[in-house]
Amino acid sequence: MLRVAVVGSGPSGVYTAQSLVQLEPEVLVDVLDRLPCPYGLVRYGVAPDHEKIKSLQNNLRAVLEHGRVRFLGGVLVGPGGPSAARLRELYDAVVYCVGAATDRHLGIPGEELPGSWSATEFVSWYSAHPDSTADGFVLGARSAVVIGVGNVAVDVTRMLARGAAELSRTDIPQAALAALAASGITDVHMVGRRGPSQARFTTKELRELGSLPDTEVTVDQAELALDPGCLDLSALPGAQRRNVEALRNWSALPPQGAPRRIHLRFFLRPVQLLAETGRVGAVRFERTAPDGRGGVVGTGRFEEIEAQLVLRSVGYRGVPLDGLPFDTELGTVPHRAGRVVREGRTVPGEYVAGWIKRGPTGVIGTNRPDAKETVTSLLADASTVVAKELSEDPLAVLRAEGIEPVEWAGWEAIERAEAELGASLGRGGVVKLPDWDALLAAARGTHP
């Protein structure tokens, strides 16, 4: 019998477990996560109002309830928990599917001013991530600037403009709902340094901005005209063409006088966050222009946009894992077809999948073939990795060493507590428990 630990219960981890049990009838899989809740970014990264995407949890759930798969939450791999070396003693093979845990910075003056945040921090707050300690994002803000033009930037822009009545039907935590309901933000500027034909958002997410009640979307026709890709739409790939068509439609609309406005801006590169009364008050941008090679160059012309809230959404980055090699330039673990590479050689028994393997690229579905490639490598090594004798059930060993994982029954108890919280608040659905204490109390059966 092959015993495999999968570290991380997001899509890449669950798809890895799924491939293992589908391709190998003699395998037992423990899916470990440092959080007491499964599903990774599907639970803590997908916006609350994207209920169709969040319903992917049902598919992931079916894998985690498989008879040869076991969920062990609340297990931190590294300092304070079992080390990578210890996992190798307990399991025949270990697959790390830990994602990219931090965000990229702009590296400009004023970035650390109060009121300047990463989109990751904002998403963690409205998703009730138990590590989130930030608050006060929208307090006192009239205008917000979102730097970046990917789907995360679209998500946070939409959440800033979304009405409280719509959000109350989602699983957003009560404190975030109350703060957004009281928000005085009337203008949200989503800004990219390149042109609209190079934006990374998808058309479906982009068009959602135009369906928000009491909100109008504005696009500067002059900025569209700067982009050579917008001059001949027939030359653009389908996704970019549809994006530009949506932007063109908005640019042709007269002002509607809506109480909230989303401004989609292009060819602006942030150079400084400007202070006002000790916090951010505006963002200074340099106007850019196409360089003819797919990039942009500065023009020496500058523009300032008022903002009491700035959210940077310029990408994620992996962080080193204790006990594993790490490529600091790429932010990934070195590998060959998913096999971890140490000092130029692959290590049978240690594998990676997902963002820590390939970097923060692709969509949720990209993780499926990525995981299958890694599992194929693992199973090809099976005759090597099962050569050692495993003494006993790893769960019994972890418990003997003072680690008490949250098993699937504990997660189901959390689900019940969140449903009860939603009912008690009159919200009509589940409402997420917002912190470690509440989650663990629910899992252990001590939740009031």
Side-chain angles (χ1 to χ4, degrees):
M1 183 67 71
L2 179 67
R3 282 192 178 274
V4 179
V6 174
V7 182
S9 66
S12 64
V14 176
Y15 290 147
T16 297
Q18 183 179 48
S19 288
L20 281 165
V21 296
Q22 286 178 341
L23 297 175
E24 174 51 62
E26 296 294 319
V27 66
L28 296 176
V29 184
D30 283 349
V31 179
L32 281 59
D33 202 297
R34 73 178 188 87
L35 298 178
C37 309
Y39 311 136
L41 284 180
V42 176
R43 176 175 167 90
Y44 287 119
V46 175
D49 61 339
H50 269 180
E51 295 176 359
K52 185 174 181 180
I53 300 176
K54 291 177 78 69
S55 68
L56 176 64
Q57 292 183 11
N58 296 329
N59 298 335
L60 303 181
R61 181 188 198 95
V63 177
L64 294 174
E65 290 182 330
H66 189 282
R68 289 184 283 125
V69 177
R70 184 167 58 182
F71 174 70
L72 301 179
V75 179
L76 174 64
V77 176
S83 66
R86 186 64 174 131
L87 287 185
R88 285 291 291 117
E89 294 171 351
L90 298 177
Y91 295 90
D92 294 306
V94 183
V95 188
Y96 294 89
C97 308
V98 293
T102 190
D103 58 274
R104 297 182 183 274
H105 288 253
L106 298 171
I108 61 175
E111 189 171 6
E112 304 307 319
L113 282 169
S116 168
W117 308 85
S118 72
T120 304
E121 291 172 299
F122 187 58
V123 171
S124 292
W125 171 70
Y126 68 58
S127 298
H129 195 292
D131 289 343
S132 177
T133 57
D135 202 354
F137 291 94
V138 299
L139 187 63
R142 304 178 302 277
S143 176
V145 165
V146 178
I147 298 173
V149 284
N151 278 345
V152 175
V154 174
D155 276 352
V156 299
T157 295
R158 190 183 65 255
M159 289 294 293
L160 287 169
R162 177 73 80 181
E166 305 145 68
L167 288 175
S168 67
R169 298 190 292 268
T170 73
D171 63 4
I172 188 171
Q174 188 67 14
L177 175 64
L180 291 171
S183 169
I185 293 176
T186 57
D187 291 86
V188 184
H189 308 260
M190 190 171 77
V191 186
R193 63 184 177 88
R194 298 196 293 177
S197 69
Q198 297 170 307
R200 302 293 296 275
F201 44 62
T202 53
T203 308
K204 179 180 181 296
E205 278 66 29
L206 175 65
R207 287 175 176 162
E208 282 186 86
L209 298 178
S211 65
L212 299 176
D214 302 318
T215 304
E216 63 180 296
V217 180
T218 73
V219 178
D220 190 332
Q221 289 184 337
E223 291 177 352
L224 290 179
L226 285 173
D227 188 344
C230 296
L231 300 180
D232 181 10
L233 296 191
S234 65
L236 288 176
Q240 286 93 326
R241 183 177 67 253
R242 290 187 291 272
N243 285 345
V244 172
E245 287 171 346
L247 295 167
R248 275 184 169 180
N249 290 338
W250 283 324
S251 75
L253 295 175
Q256 301 163 42
R260 290 188 295 271
R261 293 162 293 279
I262 295 173
H263 310 269
L264 303 182
R265 303 295 309 277
F266 302 94
F267 292 114
L268 292 171
R269 178 168 57 201
V271 295
Q272 186 177 4
L273 304 192
L274 304 175
E276 181 179 307
T277 62
R279 57 178 294 116
V280 67
V283 185
R284 192 174 195 229
F285 292 92
E286 181 181 17
R287 169 67 66 186
T288 62
D291 64 2
R293 301 183 301 275
V296 293
V297 294
T299 64
R301 293 184 287 116
F302 298 88
E303 175 180 332
E304 293 178 9
I305 298 178
E306 176 194 356
Q308 297 78 38
L309 169 63
V310 176
L311 298 173
R312 67 177 184 275
S313 180
V314 291
Y316 295 97
R317 182 173 177 80
V319 297
L321 301 171
D322 191 61
L324 288 182
F326 190 72
D327 185 323
T328 55
E329 183 176 343
L330 297 177
T332 58
V333 171
H335 73 94
R336 293 182 193 140
R339 295 178 176 94
V340 171
V341 173
R342 292 182 182 271
E343 299 177 351
R345 301 179 63 181
T346 57
V347 182
E350 291 184 319
Y351 307 86
V352 285
W355 280 2
I356 200 63
K357 171 186 174 184
R358 69 179 188 274
T361 60
V363 295
I364 290 174
T366 309
N367 291 294
R368 193 184 294 272
D370 179 281
K372 188 172 183 179
E373 178 191 55
T374 295
V375 169
T376 300
S377 295
L378 189 160
L379 295 179
D381 299 341
S383 60
T384 302
V385 300
V386 298
K388 62 182 181 180
E389 289 292 328
L390 296 179
S391 57
E392 55 183 309
D393 183 350
L395 178 55
V397 177
L398 291 174
R399 285 175 171 159
E401 294 177 356
I403 298 168
E404 190 59 49
V406 174
E407 296 184 72
W408 193 251
W411 160 240
E412 290 179 319
I414 291 172
E415 289 184 302
R416 290 193 297 273
E418 292 186 333
E420 292 167 3
L421 177 59
S424 71
L425 294 170
R427 295 265 300 270
V430 303
V431 173
K432 284 182 180 173
L433 298 174
D435 54 58
W436 278 98
D437 289 344
L439 289 168
L440 292 176
R444 310 297 188 206
T446 58
H447 188 71

